[in-house]
Amino acid sequence: MHNTRYAPNGMVCSVDHLASAAGVAALDRGGSAADAAIAANAVLAVVAPHMCGLGGDLFALVHDGSVTALNASGRAGSGADPARLRAEGHTRMPHLHDIRSVPVPGCVDGWLALHARHGRLPMAELLRPAIGLARDGFPASPLMVAGARTAAGRPGGGDFAEVRAAGDRVTRPGVARALQAVADGGRDGFYLGEFGQGLIELGDGEYTAADLAAPMADWVEPLRVRAFGHDVWSMPPNSQGYLLLMSLAILDGLDLPGSPRHPAWAHLLAEAARAAGHDRPALLHEDAKDLLDPGEIARRRALVQPAGRLRVPVPAADGDTTYLCAVDGDGMGVSLIQSNASGFGGMLFEPRTGINLHNRGIGFSLRPGHPAEYGPGRRPPHTLAPALITRPGGALRTVVGTMGGDAQPQILAQIITRLLHHGEEPGQALAAPRWRLAGGGTGFDTWDAPDDVVLDLEEGTTWADGLAALGHPVRTLPYGGSFGHAHLVDVRPDGMLAGAADPRSLVGAALGR
């Protein structure tokens, strides 16, 4: 099933209909696409703690005549000590239950920066729907239930103690207070208030008050490549957005089959992703430069062979996220992604508000001297990679993104190729079965052994036999969330909006006005 929705004056797509409705309500009151994105994301921070929240990070691309990029990813606290972790026997950052994998969350700073530059409605008005849901209750979504049982057993996870089945009422009074603190007191109400004090206490030396006083959001220059007759934009490092752009630039020079149903289509896209990403652990860090050099793109394109699987060199040296997009009647588009990293994050909860904390610090390296080594004030490499597409003259074409950990660039490359190269409708491009490259099992370790990755195929694909014949190790998995939740809004030449929410999200919605 694939449903494309159409609207003339604005649209919001997200993983939950309650969030999309809050965004459209902001548009109805005269708000901008940025206002709609904030309102929707605030609701998701309440109703989708298994994907995102106030304890996570945020990236956004905005088209408002030109394209700008917002990096609201947090930094490690002043107490970050890689030598201590190594002395404890760690060779990589702890995945769960360890505060050291929790950089200061950047989400709220991201909202405030986006609002300061592009907002029209008062922040308190934008947060009101989320505050009401957190205070009065909301129905547990089907995708929340399994993780909620685990979260309820953790210190501070009491909000989820009564969740047994989809539709059960959930209240989050501490989150309501934290959102009200943002509405009343801005960033200081959050970072220096109840949440910030609780985070310092939980950190027990990992953070100082000065760490929380320093804003986490920066406006940065986006990255861009030309592919399929359009300009495709994504985030610069510390995001892995360059992998999407490099993959598309590689594909733009290859002879793709006429139909995505052909195994050679999946083969070439997967090989482009492997050629782009195999050395990501060595290259991706917050200070990385020149990752999209045309000569390097051409060299990697030459590695891709139609007749067989590439053997990639090893470099020397299930992720959970939510994506939403909004377009308003004036043509502003926002592509926003916000994440806890792993499901409920590190399964740590700030004790005063019950806000679950991300574990995005798992992206740091513990190798001494590595450019992404864990350390005070550093940003970790990020899987978050929102995308935005413009027409050759600069007009907005598409806002698009997905959850999916390491697989985000791979999922987006498939959707964008279907949309731009094959002319599929948004709903068709999103609903089509996908492939992904899979490594050790966490969703964040694909490139640890790049030549050993398995090509996971979503149930319903037509590629398995052909890919196996080309040398790919393949396995088939059920259709669903293991292959991301993507959403997009496409702006047609006549200005009509066409959008879709991923059917894998079960309660997602593309709503327009």
Side-chain angles (χ1 to χ4, degrees), residues 178-206:
L179 288 166
Q180 191 64 57
V182 177
D184 295 340
R187 83 169 309 278
D188 286 355
F190 181 73
Y191 287 102
L192 304 183
E194 184 181 20
F195 171 82
Q197 292 304 310
L199 185 63
I200 289 174
E201 292 167 9
L202 183 65
D204 191 24
E206 184 73 5

Side-chain angles (χ1 to χ4, degrees), residues 82-165:
R84 187 172 117 191
L85 276 168
R86 289 191 288 265
E88 293 173 8
H90 294 281
T91 58
R92 60 194 311 160
M93 294 295 291
H95 192 75
L96 297 175
H97 310 148
D98 196 311
I99 196 67
R100 293 169 293 188
S101 289
V102 183
V104 177
C107 172
V108 169
D109 268 335
W111 292 349
L112 294 169
L114 189 60
H115 185 260
R117 183 173 287 198
H118 296 290
R120 297 176 191 159
L121 300 177
M123 179 64 83
E125 187 174 337
L126 300 178
L127 298 183
R128 191 174 299 133
I131 293 169
L133 289 165
R135 181 189 61 233
D136 301 329
F138 60 90
S141 75
L143 296 178
M144 180 204 288
V145 174
R149 294 179 188 138
T150 303
R154 297 289 302 164
D159 289 353
F160 311 102
E162 302 304 318
V163 177
R164 298 288 184 270

Side-chain angles (χ1 to χ4, degrees), residues 381-465:
H382 249 277
T383 57
L384 300 185
L388 187 149
I389 303 169
T390 53
R391 301 182 189 276
L396 178 65
R397 166 69 195 263
T398 310
V399 281
V400 59
T402 186
M403 63 166 278
D406 283 348
Q408 285 183 37
Q410 301 153 34
I411 294 165
L412 289 177
Q414 294 169 74
I415 293 167
I416 291 171
T417 301
R418 287 178 177 276
L419 188 74
L420 300 184
H421 186 65
H422 299 286
E424 293 186 358
E425 285 287 290
Q428 184 181 7
L430 289 185
R434 299 168 184 158
W435 57 264
R436 67 170 189 181
L437 300 172
T442 69
F444 298 92
D445 49 12
T446 304
W447 305 116
D448 288 358
D451 211 44
D452 296 336
V453 295
V454 174
L455 201 50
D456 284 345
L457 306 181
E458 198 168 24
E459 193 173 32
T461 66
T462 55
W463 306 319
D465 290 345

Side-chain angles (χ1 to χ4, degrees), residues 2-14 323 325-328 389 391 396-401 415 419-420 423-430 486-502 509-513:
H2 52 84
N3 291 316
T4 301
R5 306 296 184 189
Y6 303 92
N9 298 313
M11 182 171 279
V12 180
C13 302
S14 83
Y323 172 80
C325 48
V327 177
D328 63 29
I389 303 169
R391 301 182 189 276
L396 178 65
R397 166 69 195 263
T398 310
V399 281
V400 59
I415 293 167
L419 188 74
L420 300 184
E424 293 186 358
E425 285 287 290
Q428 184 181 7
L430 289 185
H487 315 292
L488 73 87
V489 176
D490 202 38
V491 184
R492 301 193 161 193
D494 64 358
M496 185 65 70
L497 305 177
D502 201 313
L511 301 180
R513 62 184 295 273

Side-chain angles (χ1 to χ4, degrees), residues 11 32-38 41 57-73 110-111 113-115 117-118 218-225 231-237 239-242 244-245 248 292 322-328 331-338 383-390 396-402 408 412 416 487 489:
M11 182 171 279
S32 66
D35 289 327
I38 294 166
N41 192 195
D57 279 351
L58 181 155
F59 289 87
L61 295 164
V62 181
H63 185 282
D64 188 20
S66 60
V67 181
T68 52
L70 177 64
N71 181 337
S73 61
W111 292 349
L114 189 60
H115 185 260
R117 183 173 287 198
H118 296 290
D218 302 303
W219 291 98
V220 296
E221 283 295 318
L223 299 181
R224 173 183 61 168
V225 297
D231 288 322
V232 186
W233 305 75
S234 193
M235 297 295 305
S239 162
Q240 67 168 349
Y242 83 97
L244 167 64
L245 303 186
L248 291 171
L292 295 173
T322 192
Y323 172 80
L324 64 92
C325 48
V327 177
D328 63 29
M332 180 191 295
V334 176
S335 180
L336 186 150
I337 194 162
Q338 208 255 300
T383 57
L384 300 185
L388 187 149
I389 303 169
T390 53
L396 178 65
R397 166 69 195 263
T398 310
V399 281
V400 59
T402 186
Q408 285 183 37
L412 289 177
I416 291 171
H487 315 292
V489 176

